[in-house]
Amino acid sequence: MTAALRHYDPPSLSKRLRNAHAMTRPLIFDIIEHACRRLPPLGHSERTARIMRLIDAEAWTDAALALMAIELPLWQVRRIAYDEGEWHCALSRERELPDWLDAAVEAHHADLALALLSAFVEVQALAVEMSRPSVPSVRPLLYPLYEPAACDNFG
């Protein structure tokens, strides 16, 4: 298990995002530190330098979309909608499927960047859960005197 996965606590990060009123620098750096596994150290590549420029400009929605592009290359934004004072965001691996066939991850918040990052954290939590096997794997022991034999009756 990598260090990034060991320190990743999706419920507490999701709760912090839900309870936040607006995006802040410490919050986005906390998300980068705890939920991002593919992101090179900040400032070490053009993509991360772009994210830093977006954070410095407080362009939170663009920074969230840039993070998702790096961290979730197989996922796409399926839907962004504003309804009754909240932004609803859905991320999907199969955006072209009808809604009823798609297993999209959805999140909502009054702030668009927080709604996007909430969905991002949910997808990352899903990826962590999927990477762990449900049953421990055991390698079969090979006995030196073991020989497979056919037991079919062909007669």
Side-chain angles (χ1 to χ4, degrees):
M1 183 178 262
T2 66
L5 295 180
R6 236 186 332 223
H7 298 297
Y8 183 51
D9 186 15
S12 67
L13 200 52
S14 294
K15 185 177 178 182
R16 283 188 62 202
L17 287 168
R18 265 193 315 275
N19 293 335
H21 296 291
M23 180 56 69
T24 61
R25 287 177 64 87
L27 182 57
I28 198 160
F29 283 129
D30 199 29
I31 291 167
I32 289 170
E33 180 183 343
H34 295 293
C36 296
R37 297 185 306 263
R38 294 177 179 225
L39 192 67
L42 291 176
H44 288 212
S45 76
E46 177 56 35
R47 294 174 100 183
T48 57
R50 178 176 179 262
I51 290 173
M52 282 305 300
R53 287 191 304 270
L54 292 169
I55 291 170
D56 290 339
E58 296 185 0
W60 305 124
T61 303
D62 292 333
L65 292 170
L67 272 176
M68 288 191 298
I70 292 172
E71 287 290 318
L72 305 173
L74 300 177
W75 291 77
Q76 298 174 338
V77 176
R78 179 179 180 88
R79 179 179 57 253
I80 297 177
Y82 186 76
D83 186 34
E84 296 183 9
E86 283 195 329
W87 289 97
H88 297 266
C89 300
L91 301 179
S92 172
R93 289 185 71 159
E94 301 292 334
R95 191 170 65 176
E96 303 305 321
L97 286 176
D99 277 344
W100 59 276
L101 280 177
D102 189 22
V105 174
E106 298 187 26
H108 58 89
H109 197 280
D111 184 78
L112 177 57
L114 289 171
L116 286 166
L117 287 171
S118 294
F120 167 75
V121 167
E122 293 300 319
V123 170
Q124 290 291 65
L126 183 67
V128 168
E129 289 174 15
M130 298 281 276
S131 66
R132 287 188 236 149
S134 61
V135 178
S137 59
V138 178
R139 299 178 85 191
L141 295 175
L142 298 177
Y143 297 106
L145 300 176
Y146 172 77
E147 265 188 60
C151 299
D152 293 336
N153 184 1
F154 295 111

